[in-house]
Amino acid sequence: TENLVQSLAASIQLHRFPKSVLDVNVYILEDDGSAQAVATTCASLALVDSGVELYDIVAGCNVADCDGRLVVDPNKQQLDTADGYVSMALMPNHSKLTQFEVNGSFSVSRLGEVSSLGYNGCSTVARIMRDEAISAGRKHWA
């Protein structure tokens, strides 16, 4: 939960909500891996849908090193057997990471590869989020 707060707080225009509390509830019904990244992405979309003023959306992504192969959005089995994995959250329009958590160990060069792949994964998720938010807005106002 602390990671979720950290991931989202930087995106919210908190000065627009003085003396207010924003509650975001996330219920994970099933976890087949990458739950933190999915929760971050969904919570960000919920904030967009509710009309909360944001600096940017936040897209989450995990990258795991599974036996020398990098896997974006690994499932639970891959995470459990990975040599290491990185959880990250990105505000794509600002190119700002709001979360970067390393689990396991990586060489410096391998961490660079993982980071780049994660950044690209977050950017791809963000494009889909943006397209869906625009589509939902058009349906709402049509």
Side-chain angles (χ1 to χ4, degrees):
T1 58
E2 196 63 35
N3 286 342
L4 185 62
V5 170
Q6 177 186 351
S7 297
L8 295 174
S11 71
I12 302 170
Q13 295 186 20
L14 293 173
H15 65 280
R16 303 269 192 193
F17 305 97
K19 300 181 184 178
S20 298
V21 174
L22 295 174
D23 284 330
V24 176
N25 296 303
V26 176
Y27 297 98
I28 299 172
L29 301 177
E30 187 173 326
D31 179 8
D32 189 31
S34 300
Q36 177 68 39
V38 173
T40 299
T41 300
C42 291
S44 182
L45 278 174
L47 291 171
V48 168
D49 189 56
S50 68
V52 172
E53 294 181 49
L54 304 175
Y55 293 110
D56 199 354
I57 59 175
V58 179
C61 183
N62 284 356
V63 179
D65 186 347
C66 300
D67 296 322
R69 196 178 96 236
L70 296 180
V71 178
V72 178
D73 190 26
N75 63 34
K76 188 154 184 61
Q77 181 182 3
Q78 290 167 322
L79 282 173
D80 289 344
T81 60
D83 298 326
Y85 67 93
V86 170
S87 297
M88 53 195 314
L90 172 71
M91 291 192 324
N93 291 332
H94 292 84
S95 296
K96 180 179 179 184
L97 288 174
T98 60
Q99 179 195 8
F100 190 84
E101 181 181 347
V102 179
N103 298 281
S105 60
F106 293 93
S107 67
V108 173
S109 63
R110 190 64 162 174
L111 187 57
E113 291 176 56
V114 169
S115 300
S116 178
L117 194 57
Y119 187 93
N120 291 337
C122 285
S123 296
T124 299
V125 169
R127 279 193 300 278
I128 295 167
M129 291 170 67
R130 195 172 296 110
D131 291 347
E132 290 301 316
I134 290 169
S135 176
R138 284 187 186 133
K139 289 176 186 173
H140 177 75
W141 296 107

